[in-house]
Amino acid sequence: MDVAVLEIGGSHVTAAVVAPGTWDVTEVDRAKLESQLAAERVVEQLAETARKLPLANGLAVALPGPFDFATGVAWYRGQGKFDQLYGFNLGAALSNELGIDRVLFMNDAEAFAVGEWTAGEVRGVERCVGVTIGTGIGTAFLADGRVVREGDSVPPGGELYKTTYAGKPLEDSISARAILRRYAESTGTDAPGVKEIADQARTGDTAAQEVLTACFTDLAAALHPWLDRFGVTQTVLGGSISGAFDLVKSVLDFPASATQDTEHSALVGAAAHYLRSS
């Protein structure tokens, strides 16, 4: 059974069909998403993209939190995206708009990790973790491909961003904004983005390299205790900042690799979760 999937970010929505077994992904459409509009307009945009998919068997959706993935209720506030959806039942609205009975949601960081376990860098690894780094940081700890969110071997809810490092929220040390802030503090100038900092580091810019090294050293220090507790043998990095992996892999003192494509893996992971839940 092919699975219809939406992968939703703060500024885009991707519609795709995933074939189980081969895990081939056929991208049907990638559209711009105006996520700060009224809830009804956000639903209209998502539904317009979803209608391009074969929906007879329902729809799998990967998207960021804060979101109640079991009930389909959004709890975004102050995120710079989806603020008008606070307390809104997106699952019921999409089901009604599309005329389908089943919409299954999954956290995008968890979808990424499950996708990498299903057909990516950590395929079949018994104990692994996926880490996505972009605007913030997302994590998913997997045991035999199943997400573990409870117990003292994982951070609260399995989400490393809920922890602190050096007395501050972890995302103050490792995230896009943390990298940009450190670069500005180090050089006295603002960088256009993390990609530009990475590009500068590759041309021999010492300050750019030192900033990336410092941020990923903090990530390694914050993550390592949880890797030990959970018994992780392989880590895969995703998100927009994973493109700088070649510049920082030497400071990660544990087995790690970078994804080939974060979005592709999230689509596969959402489809795999959907099939398991059927």
Side-chain angles (χ1 to χ4, degrees):
M1 178 184 75
D2 287 354
V3 182
V5 185
L6 288 185
E7 188 272 331
I8 302 172
S11 59
H12 79 277
V13 54
T14 297
V17 177
V18 179
T22 62
W23 302 110
D24 290 335
V25 176
T26 304
E27 185 176 305
V28 176
D29 189 43
R30 194 176 200 275
K32 181 181 178 182
L33 179 64
E34 297 182 87
S35 63
Q36 288 288 57
L37 296 181
E40 292 75 14
R41 287 288 296 117
V42 172
V43 171
E44 287 174 8
Q45 293 176 84
L46 297 176
E48 181 180 355
T49 304
R51 287 192 185 96
K52 298 172 183 177
L53 296 168
L55 297 173
N57 296 316
L59 179 66
V61 181
L63 76 171
F67 191 90
D68 189 324
F69 296 94
T71 65
V73 176
W75 295 106
Y76 303 101
R77 176 169 282 175
Q79 300 284 316
K81 56 191 175 188
F82 305 119
D83 284 340
Q84 304 306 310
L85 268 64
Y86 185 82
F88 182 78
N89 194 319
L90 182 60
L94 277 177
S95 294
N96 181 65
E97 186 73 18
L98 296 170
I100 57 177
D101 294 328
R102 189 170 188 231
V103 179
L104 186 69
F105 294 96
M106 188 178 195
N107 176 279
D108 58 355
E110 294 182 355
F112 162 74
V114 171
E116 288 290 331
W117 183 88
T118 302
E121 293 289 320
V122 291
R123 185 168 187 167
V125 174
E126 184 177 349
R127 294 255 166 175
C128 60
V129 62
V131 182
T132 56
I133 308 166
T135 306
I137 182 168
T139 51
F141 290 75
L142 305 187
D144 293 322
R146 304 277 180 172
V147 179
V148 178
R149 305 181 187 91
E150 298 178 350
D152 58 9
S153 65
V154 297
E159 298 176 303
L160 192 67
Y161 85 89
K162 293 181 178 178
T163 66
T164 59
Y165 179 74
K168 299 179 295 184
L170 178 61
E171 289 180 347
D172 285 355
S173 297
I174 177 68
S175 62
R177 68 175 183 272
I179 292 172
L180 294 174
R181 187 195 71 246
R182 286 198 192 198
Y183 182 85
E185 291 172 351
S186 173
T187 66
T189 59
D190 294 331
V194 175
K195 181 181 183 300
E196 287 73 20
I197 294 175
D199 289 342
Q200 289 172 217
R202 292 190 185 96
T203 64
D205 186 317
T206 302
Q209 179 65 59
E210 288 178 348
V211 166
L212 292 172
T213 297
C215 287
F216 277 84
T217 297
D218 288 349
L219 172 65
L223 186 57
H224 213 300
W226 298 107
L227 302 183
D228 291 342
R229 289 187 197 184
F230 195 70
V232 170
T233 58
Q234 183 72 25
T235 298
V236 58
L237 299 185
S240 59
I241 299 176
S242 64
F245 181 73
D246 61 305
L247 299 166
V248 299
K249 59 185 177 182
S250 63
V251 305
L252 302 178
D253 55 346
F254 46 82
S257 58
T259 184
Q260 296 299 309
D261 188 328
T262 299
E263 184 179 276
H264 181 278
S265 292
L267 292 165
V268 170
H273 175 61
Y274 188 88
L275 291 167
R276 284 179 183 174
S277 305
S278 296

Short mmCIF file of all heavy atoms in Angstrom, two decimals, residues 80-124:
data_model
loop_
_atom_site.label_atom_id
_atom_site.label_comp_id
_atom_site.label_asym_id
_atom_site.label_seq_id
_atom_site.Cartn_x
_atom_site.Cartn_y
_atom_site.Cartn_z
N GLY A 80 7.03 31.79 15.70
CA GLY A 80 7.29 32.40 14.40
C GLY A 80 6.65 31.62 13.27
O GLY A 80 6.95 31.84 12.09
N LYS A 81 5.77 30.69 13.61
CA LYS A 81 5.05 29.90 12.62
C LYS A 81 3.82 29.31 13.30
O LYS A 81 3.83 28.96 14.48
CB LYS A 81 5.93 28.77 12.07
CG LYS A 81 6.49 27.84 13.16
CD LYS A 81 7.55 26.90 12.63
CE LYS A 81 8.15 26.08 13.76
NZ LYS A 81 9.30 25.28 13.33
N PHE A 82 2.74 29.22 12.56
CA PHE A 82 1.50 28.56 13.00
C PHE A 82 0.91 29.14 14.30
O PHE A 82 0.19 28.44 15.01
CB PHE A 82 1.72 27.04 13.19
CG PHE A 82 2.26 26.36 11.97
CD1 PHE A 82 3.49 25.71 12.00
CD2 PHE A 82 1.54 26.35 10.78
CE1 PHE A 82 3.99 25.07 10.88
CE2 PHE A 82 2.03 25.72 9.65
CZ PHE A 82 3.27 25.07 9.70
N ASP A 83 1.22 30.40 14.60
CA ASP A 83 0.72 30.95 15.87
C ASP A 83 -0.80 31.02 15.93
O ASP A 83 -1.38 30.97 17.02
CB ASP A 83 1.30 32.36 16.08
CG ASP A 83 2.76 32.32 16.52
OD1 ASP A 83 3.19 31.28 17.01
OD2 ASP A 83 3.46 33.34 16.36
N GLN A 84 -1.46 31.11 14.78
CA GLN A 84 -2.92 31.20 14.77
C GLN A 84 -3.58 29.84 14.97
O GLN A 84 -4.81 29.75 15.04
CB GLN A 84 -3.40 31.82 13.45
CG GLN A 84 -2.81 33.18 13.16
CD GLN A 84 -3.03 34.17 14.28
OE1 GLN A 84 -4.15 34.32 14.77
NE2 GLN A 84 -1.97 34.83 14.71
N LEU A 85 -2.78 28.77 15.06
CA LEU A 85 -3.33 27.43 15.23
C LEU A 85 -3.35 27.00 16.69
O LEU A 85 -3.72 25.86 17.00
CB LEU A 85 -2.52 26.40 14.42
CG LEU A 85 -3.01 26.12 13.00
CD1 LEU A 85 -2.91 27.36 12.13
CD2 LEU A 85 -2.19 24.98 12.37
N TYR A 86 -2.99 27.88 17.61
CA TYR A 86 -2.93 27.51 19.02
C TYR A 86 -4.28 26.98 19.51
O TYR A 86 -5.30 27.66 19.44
CB TYR A 86 -2.50 28.70 19.88
CG TYR A 86 -2.31 28.36 21.33
CD1 TYR A 86 -1.11 27.79 21.77
CD2 TYR A 86 -3.31 28.59 22.26
CE1 TYR A 86 -0.92 27.47 23.10
CE2 TYR A 86 -3.13 28.27 23.60
CZ TYR A 86 -1.93 27.71 24.01
OH TYR A 86 -1.75 27.38 25.33
N GLY A 87 -4.29 25.73 19.97
CA GLY A 87 -5.51 25.09 20.44
C GLY A 87 -6.42 24.59 19.33
O GLY A 87 -7.54 24.14 19.59
N PHE A 88 -5.96 24.66 18.11
CA PHE A 88 -6.79 24.30 16.94
C PHE A 88 -6.60 22.83 16.58
O PHE A 88 -5.48 22.32 16.57
CB PHE A 88 -6.36 25.18 15.75
CG PHE A 88 -7.15 24.96 14.49
CD1 PHE A 88 -8.43 25.50 14.34
CD2 PHE A 88 -6.62 24.23 13.44
CE1 PHE A 88 -9.15 25.31 13.17
CE2 PHE A 88 -7.32 24.04 12.26
CZ PHE A 88 -8.60 24.58 12.13
N ASN A 89 -7.72 22.14 16.30
CA ASN A 89 -7.64 20.72 15.93
C ASN A 89 -7.39 20.61 14.43
O ASN A 89 -8.31 20.57 13.63
CB ASN A 89 -8.92 19.99 16.33
CG ASN A 89 -8.74 18.47 16.26
OD1 ASN A 89 -8.11 17.94 15.34
ND2 ASN A 89 -9.27 17.77 17.25
N LEU A 90 -6.11 20.55 14.09
CA LEU A 90 -5.72 20.47 12.69
C LEU A 90 -6.12 19.13 12.08
O LEU A 90 -6.50 19.07 10.90
CB LEU A 90 -4.21 20.67 12.55
CG LEU A 90 -3.65 20.66 11.13
CD1 LEU A 90 -4.25 21.78 10.29
CD2 LEU A 90 -2.12 20.79 11.18
N GLY A 91 -6.08 18.08 12.88
CA GLY A 91 -6.46 16.76 12.37
C GLY A 91 -7.91 16.72 11.92
O GLY A 91 -8.23 16.25 10.82
N ALA A 92 -8.81 17.22 12.76
CA ALA A 92 -10.23 17.22 12.42
C ALA A 92 -10.50 18.12 11.22
O ALA A 92 -11.29 17.76 10.33
CB ALA A 92 -11.05 17.68 13.63
N ALA A 93 -9.81 19.26 11.17
CA ALA A 93 -10.03 20.19 10.07
C ALA A 93 -9.57 19.61 8.74
O ALA A 93 -10.26 19.73 7.72
CB ALA A 93 -9.30 21.51 10.35
N LEU A 94 -8.42 18.95 8.72
CA LEU A 94 -7.92 18.35 7.49
C LEU A 94 -8.80 17.17 7.06
O LEU A 94 -9.10 17.01 5.87
CB LEU A 94 -6.47 17.88 7.68
CG LEU A 94 -5.38 18.92 7.50
CD1 LEU A 94 -4.01 18.32 7.80
CD2 LEU A 94 -5.41 19.51 6.09
N SER A 95 -9.21 16.36 8.02
CA SER A 95 -10.09 15.23 7.70
C SER A 95 -11.38 15.72 7.05
O SER A 95 -11.84 15.17 6.05
CB SER A 95 -10.42 14.44 8.97
OG SER A 95 -9.28 13.81 9.49
N ASN A 96 -11.94 16.78 7.61
CA ASN A 96 -13.18 17.33 7.09
C ASN A 96 -12.98 17.95 5.71
O ASN A 96 -13.76 17.73 4.78
CB ASN A 96 -13.74 18.37 8.06
CG ASN A 96 -15.05 18.96 7.59
OD1 ASN A 96 -16.06 18.26 7.49
ND2 ASN A 96 -15.05 20.25 7.30
N GLU A 97 -11.90 18.72 5.56
CA GLU A 97 -11.62 19.42 4.31
C GLU A 97 -11.33 18.44 3.17
O GLU A 97 -11.74 18.66 2.02
CB GLU A 97 -10.44 20.37 4.50
CG GLU A 97 -10.15 21.26 3.32
CD GLU A 97 -11.15 22.38 3.13
OE1 GLU A 97 -11.90 22.70 4.10
OE2 GLU A 97 -11.22 22.95 2.02
N LEU A 98 -10.65 17.35 3.50
CA LEU A 98 -10.25 16.38 2.47
C LEU A 98 -11.23 15.22 2.31
O LEU A 98 -11.12 14.44 1.37
CB LEU A 98 -8.86 15.82 2.81
CG LEU A 98 -7.71 16.84 2.80
CD1 LEU A 98 -6.45 16.21 3.38
CD2 LEU A 98 -7.46 17.35 1.38
N GLY A 99 -12.17 15.12 3.25
CA GLY A 99 -13.15 14.03 3.17
C GLY A 99 -12.53 12.67 3.40
O GLY A 99 -12.91 11.68 2.75
N ILE A 100 -11.57 12.58 4.33
CA ILE A 100 -10.93 11.30 4.64
C ILE A 100 -11.08 11.00 6.12
O ILE A 100 -11.24 11.91 6.95
CB ILE A 100 -9.44 11.30 4.25
CG1 ILE A 100 -8.68 12.43 4.95
CG2 ILE A 100 -9.29 11.42 2.73
CD1 ILE A 100 -7.17 12.44 4.65
N ASP A 101 -11.01 9.72 6.45
CA ASP A 101 -11.22 9.31 7.84
C ASP A 101 -9.93 9.30 8.66
O ASP A 101 -9.99 9.44 9.88
CB ASP A 101 -11.82 7.89 7.89
CG ASP A 101 -13.22 7.85 7.30
OD1 ASP A 101 -13.94 8.86 7.41
OD2 ASP A 101 -13.59 6.80 6.72
N ARG A 102 -8.81 9.13 7.99
CA ARG A 102 -7.58 8.91 8.75
C ARG A 102 -6.48 9.89 8.37
O ARG A 102 -6.04 9.94 7.23
CB ARG A 102 -7.08 7.47 8.54
CG ARG A 102 -5.93 7.10 9.48
CD ARG A 102 -5.62 5.62 9.42
NE ARG A 102 -4.65 5.27 10.45
CZ ARG A 102 -3.54 4.60 10.23
NH1 ARG A 102 -3.26 4.16 9.01
NH2 ARG A 102 -2.71 4.32 11.22
N VAL A 103 -6.07 10.70 9.36
CA VAL A 103 -4.89 11.55 9.24
C VAL A 103 -4.02 11.24 10.45
O VAL A 103 -4.46 11.38 11.59
CB VAL A 103 -5.25 13.05 9.23
CG1 VAL A 103 -3.99 13.89 9.14
CG2 VAL A 103 -6.19 13.38 8.07
N LEU A 104 -2.79 10.79 10.21
CA LEU A 104 -1.89 10.38 11.29
C LEU A 104 -0.69 11.33 11.33
O LEU A 104 0.00 11.50 10.33
CB LEU A 104 -1.42 8.95 11.08
CG LEU A 104 -0.58 8.35 12.22
CD1 LEU A 104 -1.46 8.13 13.45
CD2 LEU A 104 0.05 7.03 11.79
N PHE A 105 -0.47 11.95 12.50
CA PHE A 105 0.60 12.93 12.64
C PHE A 105 1.83 12.31 13.31
O PHE A 105 1.73 11.40 14.13
CB PHE A 105 0.11 14.11 13.49
CG PHE A 105 -0.97 14.92 12.83
CD1 PHE A 105 -2.30 14.67 13.11
CD2 PHE A 105 -0.65 15.92 11.92
CE1 PHE A 105 -3.31 15.41 12.50
CE2 PHE A 105 -1.65 16.67 11.31
CZ PHE A 105 -2.97 16.41 11.60
N MET A 106 3.00 12.88 12.97
CA MET A 106 4.25 12.44 13.58
C MET A 106 5.18 13.63 13.69
O MET A 106 5.26 14.46 12.79
CB MET A 106 4.90 11.34 12.74
CG MET A 106 6.11 10.70 13.39
SD MET A 106 6.80 9.36 12.37
CE MET A 106 7.85 8.56 13.60
N ASN A 107 5.88 13.71 14.80
CA ASN A 107 6.89 14.74 15.00
C ASN A 107 7.94 14.64 13.90
O ASN A 107 8.42 13.55 13.59
CB ASN A 107 7.53 14.56 16.38
CG ASN A 107 8.65 15.53 16.62
OD1 ASN A 107 9.76 15.33 16.17
ND2 ASN A 107 8.35 16.59 17.36
N ASP A 108 8.31 15.78 13.31
CA ASP A 108 9.21 15.72 12.16
C ASP A 108 10.60 15.20 12.50
O ASP A 108 11.22 14.50 11.68
CB ASP A 108 9.29 17.08 11.46
CG ASP A 108 9.75 18.22 12.36
OD1 ASP A 108 9.92 18.01 13.57
OD2 ASP A 108 9.92 19.34 11.84
N ALA A 109 11.10 15.49 13.71
CA ALA A 109 12.41 14.95 14.11
C ALA A 109 12.35 13.43 14.26
O ALA A 109 13.29 12.72 13.90
CB ALA A 109 12.88 15.61 15.40
N GLU A 110 11.24 12.94 14.81
CA GLU A 110 11.07 11.50 14.94
C GLU A 110 10.89 10.85 13.57
O GLU A 110 11.43 9.77 13.31
CB GLU A 110 9.87 11.20 15.84
CG GLU A 110 10.09 11.64 17.29
CD GLU A 110 8.91 11.30 18.19
OE1 GLU A 110 7.88 10.80 17.68
OE2 GLU A 110 9.03 11.52 19.41
N ALA A 111 10.15 11.51 12.69
CA ALA A 111 9.97 10.98 11.33
C ALA A 111 11.32 10.89 10.63
O ALA A 111 11.61 9.90 9.94
CB ALA A 111 9.02 11.87 10.54
N PHE A 112 12.16 11.91 10.80
CA PHE A 112 13.50 11.88 10.21
C PHE A 112 14.29 10.68 10.70
O PHE A 112 14.88 9.94 9.90
CB PHE A 112 14.24 13.18 10.54
CG PHE A 112 15.73 13.08 10.36
CD1 PHE A 112 16.28 13.07 9.08
CD2 PHE A 112 16.58 13.00 11.46
CE1 PHE A 112 17.66 12.95 8.90
CE2 PHE A 112 17.95 12.89 11.29
CZ PHE A 112 18.49 12.86 10.01
N ALA A 113 14.32 10.47 12.01
CA ALA A 113 15.10 9.37 12.58
C ALA A 113 14.58 8.02 12.12
O ALA A 113 15.36 7.13 11.76
CB ALA A 113 15.09 9.46 14.11
N VAL A 114 13.26 7.85 12.13
CA VAL A 114 12.68 6.58 11.69
C VAL A 114 12.97 6.36 10.20
O VAL A 114 13.24 5.23 9.77
CB VAL A 114 11.16 6.55 11.97
CG1 VAL A 114 10.51 5.34 11.31
CG2 VAL A 114 10.91 6.54 13.47
N GLY A 115 12.94 7.43 9.43
CA GLY A 115 13.27 7.31 8.01
C GLY A 115 14.71 6.89 7.79
O GLY A 115 15.00 6.04 6.93
N GLU A 116 15.62 7.44 8.58
CA GLU A 116 17.02 7.06 8.48
C GLU A 116 17.24 5.61 8.93
O GLU A 116 18.08 4.89 8.39
CB GLU A 116 17.89 8.01 9.31
CG GLU A 116 18.03 9.39 8.72
CD GLU A 116 18.87 9.41 7.45
OE1 GLU A 116 19.77 8.56 7.30
OE2 GLU A 116 18.62 10.29 6.59
N TRP A 117 16.47 5.17 9.92
CA TRP A 117 16.56 3.78 10.38
C TRP A 117 15.96 2.83 9.34
O TRP A 117 16.43 1.71 9.16
CB TRP A 117 15.81 3.62 11.72
CG TRP A 117 15.91 2.23 12.28
CD1 TRP A 117 16.90 1.74 13.10
CD2 TRP A 117 15.01 1.14 12.06
NE1 TRP A 117 16.66 0.42 13.40
CE2 TRP A 117 15.50 0.03 12.78
CE3 TRP A 117 13.83 1.00 11.33
CZ2 TRP A 117 14.86 -1.21 12.79
CZ3 TRP A 117 13.18 -0.22 11.34
CH2 TRP A 117 13.69 -1.32 12.05
N THR A 118 14.93 3.28 8.66
CA THR A 118 14.23 2.44 7.68
C THR A 118 15.04 2.29 6.39
O THR A 118 15.12 1.18 5.83
CB THR A 118 12.85 3.05 7.36
OG1 THR A 118 12.09 3.15 8.57
CG2 THR A 118 12.09 2.21 6.34
N ALA A 119 15.64 3.39 5.93
CA ALA A 119 16.29 3.33 4.62
C ALA A 119 17.44 4.32 4.48
O ALA A 119 17.69 4.83 3.40
CB ALA A 119 15.26 3.59 3.53
N GLY A 120 18.15 4.60 5.59
CA GLY A 120 19.18 5.63 5.53
C GLY A 120 20.45 5.27 6.24
O GLY A 120 20.89 4.11 6.26
N GLU A 121 21.05 6.26 6.89
CA GLU A 121 22.38 6.14 7.48
C GLU A 121 22.43 5.18 8.67
O GLU A 121 23.50 4.63 8.96
CB GLU A 121 22.87 7.52 7.93
CG GLU A 121 23.15 8.48 6.80
CD GLU A 121 24.38 8.10 6.01
OE1 GLU A 121 25.38 7.67 6.61
OE2 GLU A 121 24.34 8.22 4.77
N VAL A 122 21.34 5.00 9.38
CA VAL A 122 21.34 4.11 10.57
C VAL A 122 20.39 2.93 10.34
O VAL A 122 19.77 2.43 11.28
CB VAL A 122 20.96 4.89 11.85
CG1 VAL A 122 22.07 5.85 12.23
CG2 VAL A 122 19.64 5.65 11.68
N ARG A 123 20.29 2.50 9.10
CA ARG A 123 19.37 1.42 8.74
C ARG A 123 19.62 0.17 9.58
O ARG A 123 20.71 -0.38 9.60
CB ARG A 123 19.51 1.07 7.27
CG ARG A 123 18.48 0.04 6.79
CD ARG A 123 18.47 -0.05 5.30
NE ARG A 123 17.38 -0.89 4.82
CZ ARG A 123 16.98 -0.96 3.56
NH1 ARG A 123 17.58 -0.21 2.64
NH2 ARG A 123 15.99 -1.74 3.21
N GLY A 124 18.58 -0.23 10.32
CA GLY A 124 18.63 -1.45 11.10
C GLY A 124 19.46 -1.40 12.36
O GLY A 124 19.58 -2.42 13.06
#
